[in-house]
Amino acid sequence: SGDRRSGDRRWERGVADMARDATRRRAPVASPVVTTLTLASADPAVVDTDAIVVGVTTSADGSPPRLAPGAGSLDAAFGGRLAAALAALGASGGEGEVTRLSSLGATRAPVVAAVGLGAAPAEGDGDGGPARFAAETVRRAAGAAVRALAGTSRVALALPGEDVRAAAEGALLGAYAFDRYRSASADQRKPPVTAVSLIVANAENPAARDAVRRAEVVTRAVALARDLVNTPPNDLHPQELADAAVAACAGLEVEVLDEDALRRGGFGGILGVGQGSAHPPRLVRIAYRHPEATRHVALVGKGITFDSGGLSLKPAEGMDWMKSDMGGAAAVIAAMQAVRDLAPRGNVTGWVPTAENMPSGTAQRPSDVLTTYGGKTVEVLNTDAEGRLILADAIVRAAEEHPDVLVDAATLTGAQLVALGTRTFGVMANDDELRAAVVDAAGRAGEAAWPMPLPDELRKGLDSEVADIANVASDKWGGMLRAGVFLREFVPDGVRWAHLDIAGPAFNHGEPYGYTPKGGTGAAVRTFVQVVEDLAGG
Ligand code: BES
Ligand code: MN
Ligand code: ZN
């Protein structure tokens, strides 16, 4: 009868495998980059393309919008009446507004599109030079135009030309689409633009060509992070997230610890969170090394492939949002890919603790005590505060390699949304200078970030009756900061650490805007890359 039982178990495993194969719809692999970007020095009026895009700015007192620099001889081709024609179509020049008109043969491109840049920058802005548009204004305008022109195959952008990198990034980010799960026959949506050309003064300028190359690398990484977040959780369990890291970071050293290795290593946080799931947890380590490195940056990302809350189950309403609970992990994997391609003169190590947080007969219970990597014990009073448990293990492990700086990104708390809304992530740190440097890097990369404190008094509420620390406090106020204070307990002395709470920014439930689509956004990827370039040498 012993034989029979084991036979039954084998059979059950076979059925489970078949069920999994049957429910798998698409392999979780990155979509090929379909959009190309080239530089061209040409008069926008005669460039060979399907749609030519110019910028327009608002003007006070209801007069027509103004054409932004870069439009070249386009207005002349329309007999000086382009701005008036756009005004007649209702264009105001407001940010993100896209107005299309037929060129009726006035230009080689059959369609002219005007994208709003908002108010023109103030003349001179201090240095006496010409007024410059903010990089993020150009990035968003390029994205909005390319997004609105989906269904057009070739688009040329004749935008204010000073920031090639921003324009290129915006255009490529705006061309993103996630259609892996749609039947071609049922897909009503227009295909993304396939070829973008940026019209610049000198297409051979080495600085401009380098800017395009960097934009390609960074936007490919953002698209990867978006794909990983958008991939449904029945196709992206911890093992598949680890597989995606291996595939995306080919050429780097990628090591995956399975549940046996995690047990041998004493990773009690990751194991505790993962023990309720039929899909066991993993810890991924991705290493980039430069022979002349003098600095080492560690990146850590929360990789909960689905957060049901565990036995502290979440309400059904909105639970689908929790497929984005691996947004921090996606950002780490994507940033490591970009680091590989940009090859900075520093060492960078990416860490991805990943688990599925599920309720079941094997799930951890509220009041369980687990021993995290390195020995600190945690009383799990709420199984839905799981991100901090897997991060505790990963932070302690990452710190063993003595990075100069450790930065984590995590969809960690609903309180982040209460405090900062859906688009701005919170930045906490154990070092004021590092926090300021990370916020500044985010701004230069085009991501909205805001510094937040880690008040010492919040530690007391985490005292446990039985263990070294509890994972939640009875007082719910300041939840984002409380989670940060919990994590700080696991950062060894001497390690400079910053924590990004990207709960809201990782996923866009609202309408698309600028270069940001619905769904996965790729939040923190560009900030990570910028931080690495700043701190580990570009
Ligand atoms: N993954 C969630 C946080 C989250 C909420 C991300 C909304 C994105 C959108 C996290 O694991 C969680 O459940 N946090 C709890 C913590 C609480 C139990 C202390 C929360 O924020 O409610
Ligand atoms: Mn949770
Ligand atoms: Zn979570």
Side-chain angles (χ1 to χ4, degrees):
S1 66
D3 274 3
R4 192 168 155 201
R5 258 199 303 275
S6 72
D8 281 349
R9 258 201 312 277
R10 251 198 309 278
W11 183 82
E12 278 160 27
R13 205 153 42 231
V15 170
D17 286 346
M18 280 188 289
R20 200 182 54 227
D21 290 346
T23 53
R24 159 151 315 168
R25 303 203 50 233
R26 299 290 189 275
V29 293
S31 352
V33 177
V34 288
T35 307
T36 63
L37 190 134
T38 50
L39 292 173
S41 313
D43 182 340
V46 297
V47 69
D48 179 17
T49 185
D50 302 320
I52 176 84
V53 176
V54 295
V56 283
T57 57
T58 54
S59 58
D61 63 42
S63 47
R66 296 208 176 85
L67 292 180
S73 67
L74 216 63
D75 191 37
F78 282 86
R81 290 186 305 243
L82 182 53
L86 289 166
L89 291 169
S92 70
E95 277 181 25
E97 173 194 87
V98 179
T99 309
R100 277 195 259 195
L101 60 101
S102 165
S103 74
L104 299 174
T107 64
R108 179 147 181 211
V111 169
V112 174
V115 62
L117 294 158
E123 265 317 311
D125 263 353
D127 60 1
R132 289 172 69 97
F133 286 83
E136 180 63 3
T137 301
V138 173
R139 199 182 277 114
R140 289 191 186 195
V146 168
R147 202 161 43 70
L149 289 165
T152 309
S153 84
R154 297 172 307 158
V155 169
L157 301 180
L159 293 172
E162 59 263 11
D163 199 329
V164 171
R165 182 169 178 188
E169 284 181 356
L172 291 172
L173 292 173
Y176 177 81
F178 184 74
D179 46 21
R180 209 180 301 152
Y181 288 83
R182 285 179 194 273
S183 319
S185 57
D187 197 351
Q188 308 289 323
R189 300 185 309 178
K190 294 172 174 161
V193 169
T194 53
V196 175
S197 78
L198 282 187
I199 301 189
V200 293
N202 177 6
E204 303 304 323
N205 179 341
R209 298 174 76 88
D210 187 54
V212 169
R213 194 187 67 82
R214 298 163 80 81
E216 284 169 345
V217 168
V218 169
T219 58
R220 188 186 308 132
V222 171
L224 167 65
R226 289 174 177 177
D227 281 351
L228 290 172
V229 168
N230 289 332
T231 300
N234 59 329
D235 274 352
L236 195 84
H237 306 103
Q239 178 61 53
E240 285 125 5
L241 186 60
D243 291 344
V246 170
C249 297
L252 299 180
E253 185 189 325
V254 185
E255 188 191 353
V256 179
L257 300 190
D258 66 11
E259 65 272 36
D260 293 330
L262 290 170
R263 212 166 292 120
R264 284 195 299 274
F267 292 89
I270 298 171
L271 288 166
V273 172
Q275 76 187 35
S277 171
H279 305 278
R282 298 286 182 260
L283 175 63
V284 187
R285 175 182 178 274
I286 310 165
Y288 165 82
R289 294 292 178 265
H290 191 283
E292 290 149 41
T294 58
R295 310 276 282 158
H296 179 192
V297 174
L299 305 176
V300 179
K302 173 179 173 183
I304 298 295
T305 60
F306 187 75
D307 182 11
S308 71
L311 287 177
S312 310
L313 192 65
K314 287 181 180 297
E317 167 91 39
M319 200 194 275
D320 56 296
W321 191 349
M322 290 303 116
K323 80 167 184 175
S324 69
D325 212 21
M326 32 57 70
V332 168
I333 295 167
M336 291 308 299
Q337 184 191 68
V339 164
R340 177 198 66 192
D341 296 344
L342 295 171
R345 292 164 70 90
N347 291 340
V348 188
T349 311
W351 298 90
V352 174
T354 172
E356 187 182 41
N357 190 22
M358 296 294 263
S360 77
T362 62
Q364 62 176 347
R365 325 146 183 76
S367 76
D368 275 3
V369 174
L370 48 78
T371 303
T372 56
Y373 184 75
K376 215 188 276 287
T377 57
V378 181
E379 186 183 14
V380 181
L381 292 177
N382 187 320
T383 64
D384 198 13
E386 84 297 340
R388 61 196 76 183
L389 302 175
I390 68 169
L391 288 169
D393 278 357
I395 286 171
V396 175
R397 176 66 188 90
E400 280 183 347
E401 299 189 357
H402 305 294
D404 297 288
V405 165
L406 190 162
V407 188
D408 78 74
T411 49
L412 205 58
T413 66
Q416 178 278 323
L417 282 136
V418 177
L420 294 172
T422 55
R423 298 186 187 178
T424 304
F425 59 77
V427 182
M428 288 141 274
N430 63 359
D431 178 298
D432 289 348
E433 237 174 81
L434 175 64
R435 184 183 55 206
V438 170
V439 170
D440 185 67
R444 278 179 285 123
E447 295 200 274
W450 202 253
M452 300 301 283
L454 292 175
D456 289 332
E457 71 272 15
L458 292 186
R459 170 62 185 81
K460 185 123 191 65
L462 294 171
D463 282 349
S464 161
E465 290 298 320
V466 295
D468 296 336
I469 192 168
N471 75 331
V472 292
S474 52
D475 161 7
K476 65 175 178 183
W477 305 113
M480 168 169 51
L481 318 182
R482 180 88 64 181
V485 166
F486 178 93
L487 293 181
R488 182 170 64 183
E489 291 293 309
F490 294 85
V491 181
D493 288 343
V495 176
R496 297 166 74 211
W497 158 78
H499 159 58
L500 320 182
D501 194 333
I502 61 169
F507 197 85
N508 178 23
H509 284 279
E511 289 307 306
Y513 59 94
Y515 50 78
T516 306
K518 270 184 182 280
T521 60
V525 174
R526 289 177 290 149
T527 298
F528 271 159
V529 172
Q530 192 63 55
V531 165
V532 165
E533 292 193 316
D534 290 353
L535 300 178

